[in-house]
Amino acid sequence: MNSTLRDLDYFGLDELLAPEEKMTRDSVRQFVERHVIPRIEHSFATENFPLTLVPEMAELGIFGANLKGYGCAGMNGVAYGLIMQELEAADSGLRSFASVQSALSMHAIYGFGSEEQKQRYLPEMARGKLIGCFGLTEPDHGSDPGAMETRARRDGGGWVLNGTKRWITNGTIADVAIVWARVDEGITGFLVEKGKPGFSARDIKGKFSMRASVTSELIFEDVRLTDAERLPQARGLRAPLACLNEARYGIAWGAVGAARSCYNCALDYARSRRQFAREIGGYQLVQNKLVSMLTEITKGQLVCLRLGQLKNAGKLRPEQVSFAKRNNVGEALKIARTARDILGANGIVNEYPVIRHMLNLETVNTYEGTYDIHTLILGRDITGLSAFE
Ligand code: TGC
Ligand code: FAD
């Protein structure tokens, strides 16, 4: 096994997992080992998502893994989280692809679509035959999506959509875009298929982060849509925010995977790299760094497991998801930076996965609600006072 993929289980959490949860985790880890690790550095270098991985990911039941029916695997929250952890141990871009397909796009249709829309899209998306994207952010409205300018106006029995969405994962490779727009009654969602007249997409190039992931701008110029292309149950900002809860949940688990990969790499390096006639892992300063990494990863794992239990019991609150996303990503980013430091000059080359994880985690700390936005969500929860007003 690629050493950076190996497990880290200081508190014996494996004992708390059900056999089918472990089986799911192990099969995804094996897939990552065989199919992702050999090509991920090339994808990162060439700014491409490896689309050839999609059929096998579908075969493993990764897309819509925790949805029931419509060809989805119907796994529990812990199994779903473990999948995200193993994917992100390879690359945040791979987990992003799965998050956007499952937690954002499929979840939007599952939660807010008509029965016809569910039948039409979900089985094909679960099989990886149709790819989705989720357009909430705009050039001028990121943390505050409630101020969005994309608008759909009534025109006879249908709609005319105008606006721009930016920073949209999978935008140019998606067959269907979930587009959030303002209508007279508030905010709602539309399903806009690739090729619709007036709909165009272009990639944002030159990223230093998430290079193995497609990030795009979506432009809508007088795109005509019917009522059948609107998500009928999506009323208000709470609809896209409900999808974000699902994606943030997966990110909280995923970030621990990226951190684990960095820790394993730094530990191996510290045990073999010699300076001043001994292994650097023998120095107290380096041990302090490794122990801090181990501690934060273990705390993150405990948070994830409890999050999964609450999700399975239907008791999970969005604020608890914010807690986990904020903490686990923030700590993963610190761990990646520390691992980079322990590797010295070797920390900056792609012979090791650390710098790639570190750069990716800068995005993960920003998207799906920045670290500070989640601070304010938690601050509002404990004080009862909203900093957003
Ligand atoms: P606010 O007044 O707080 O809420 C508006 C309505 O929504 C309800 N609500 C939620 N519902 C479900 N889940 C949540 N987490 C919810 N948070 C709020 C709320 O009860 C209210 O309902 P109602 O019926 O009373 O109207 O709204 P606000 O405008 O003050 O904004 C709050 C804030 C800042 C927390 C929110 O806008 C926010 O979360 N901003 C961050 C934006 C963000 O995360 N964007 C992510 C874009 S997608 C993405 O990044 C994908 S990355 C790709 C990948 O995942 O890999
Ligand atoms: P801004 O909102 O402009 O924030 C800038 C800074 O101001 C941040 O530090 C922020 O914390 C701070 N700030 C903002 N408001 C406050 C406040 N009230 N108090 C204190 N500080 C504040 N979006 C999608 O819809 N779909 C996607 O698929 C998607 N994929 C993405 C992929 C990548 C690679 C990236 C980088 C982004 C993606 N996003 C996506 C967009 C992402 O969700 C936004 O970047 C994020 O929500 C932050 O918005 P912003 O970049 O406009 O930053």
Side-chain angles (χ1 to χ4, degrees):
M1 154 134 332
N2 178 298
S3 63
T4 68
L5 292 182
R6 74 173 180 267
D7 214 353
L8 169 61
D9 188 14
Y10 206 68
F11 267 54
L13 298 183
D14 211 54
E15 287 171 24
L16 304 179
L17 300 179
E20 60 276 14
E21 291 164 353
K22 287 191 233 184
M23 235 167 61
T24 302
R25 177 198 60 196
D26 294 345
S27 55
V28 175
R29 191 177 291 169
Q30 231 171 53
F31 156 75
V32 162
E33 162 88 1
R34 285 197 196 136
H35 300 288
V36 184
I37 296 300
R39 68 185 72 178
I40 196 64
E41 290 297 350
H42 178 73
S43 291
F44 194 85
T46 54
E47 273 193 274
N48 274 306
F49 176 77
L51 272 169
T52 49
L53 297 174
V54 171
E56 186 127 5
M57 290 170 83
E59 193 68 31
L60 287 166
I62 288 175
F63 301 135
N66 62 343
L67 303 181
K68 293 197 170 65
Y70 307 100
C72 300
M75 294 182 200
N76 70 25
V78 171
Y80 175 78
L82 289 166
I83 292 175
M84 297 297 137
Q85 195 162 292
E86 295 310 316
L87 294 178
E88 197 148 359
D91 192 87
S92 300
L94 185 68
R95 197 269 309 135
S96 250
F97 184 91
S99 285
V100 169
Q101 178 78 350
S102 306
L104 294 180
S105 307
M106 292 176 76
H107 187 84
I109 297 169
Y110 189 83
F112 303 105
S114 66
E115 190 50 38
E116 293 72 36
Q117 290 167 341
K118 291 180 201 177
Q119 298 283 358
R120 177 179 162 92
Y121 291 105
L122 294 177
E124 291 291 273
M125 292 175 89
R127 291 171 60 219
K129 298 285 179 197
L130 285 181
I131 294 172
C133 70
F134 184 91
L136 181 62
T137 305
E138 299 185 353
D140 294 330
H141 308 285
S143 297
D144 183 15
M148 70 176 65
E149 293 171 57
T150 297
R151 194 171 177 88
R153 67 173 162 79
R154 268 285 180 201
D155 185 57
W159 301 90
V160 180
L161 179 70
N162 278 288
T164 303
K165 297 288 175 181
R166 190 165 164 81
W167 303 109
I168 308 306
T169 302
N170 294 348
T172 54
I173 55 175
D175 301 287
V176 58
I178 316 296
V179 182
W180 300 96
R182 187 173 297 289
V183 295
D184 284 346
E185 306 82 50
I187 287 167
T188 191
F190 290 93
L191 296 166
V192 185
E193 290 192 359
K194 196 176 199 159
K196 274 256 160 199
F199 172 28
S200 58
R202 62 173 192 90
D203 283 338
I204 298 169
K205 290 291 184 186
K207 291 177 295 172
F208 283 83
S209 173
M210 288 288 186
R211 287 174 59 85
S213 171
V214 171
T215 315
S216 321
E217 183 166 74
L218 312 181
I219 299 150
F220 306 96
E221 291 168 312
D222 289 333
V223 179
R224 295 194 164 272
L225 300 166
T226 65
D227 266 333
E229 291 163 298
R230 180 184 176 179
L231 293 171
Q233 308 303 328
R235 297 188 198 98
L237 189 59
R238 61 166 47 244
L241 291 181
C243 302
L244 296 187
N245 292 336
E246 295 297 310
R248 291 166 177 173
Y249 171 86
I251 290 172
W253 282 84
V256 176
R260 191 188 72 200
S261 169
C262 292
Y263 167 82
N264 280 333
C265 186
L267 178 64
D268 291 349
Y269 192 85
R271 290 168 72 166
S272 62
R273 173 75 176 171
R274 293 175 70 85
Q275 287 297 293
F276 301 101
R278 67 168 307 179
E279 298 84 358
I280 60 168
Y283 295 117
Q284 291 173 9
L285 285 172
V286 176
Q287 288 189 359
N288 185 36
K289 289 173 189 169
L290 291 168
V291 169
S292 297
M293 293 158 95
L294 168 74
T295 306
E296 290 309 327
I297 292 169
T298 303
K299 282 153 75 176
Q301 289 171 332
L302 285 161
V303 166
C304 283
L305 194 55
R306 181 61 186 148
L307 210 62
Q309 289 169 345
L310 289 168
K311 188 169 175 58
N312 289 346
K315 290 188 196 161
L316 187 59
R317 298 172 60 229
E319 289 79 6
Q320 291 167 326
V321 177
S322 284
F323 178 108
K325 194 274 182 184
R326 173 183 180 275
N327 179 75
N328 290 8
V329 179
E331 293 304 326
L333 182 52
K334 283 188 218 158
I335 287 165
R337 288 171 179 160
T338 310
R340 215 286 316 139
D341 168 66
I342 290 175
L343 265 67
N346 281 313
I348 71 157
V349 287
N350 67 2
E351 190 184 333
Y352 300 90
V354 171
I355 186 98
R356 179 167 48 78
H357 279 306
M358 191 193 91
L359 293 168
N360 284 340
L361 286 164
E362 292 289 348
T363 283
V364 184
N365 204 41
T366 285
Y367 72 21
E368 293 279 1
T370 66
Y371 184 91
D372 285 344
I373 288 298
H374 289 294
T375 305
L376 298 179
I377 291 172
L378 291 167
R380 176 171 68 180
D381 194 41
I382 58 175
T383 63
L385 304 168
S386 175
F388 301 118
E389 287 157 1

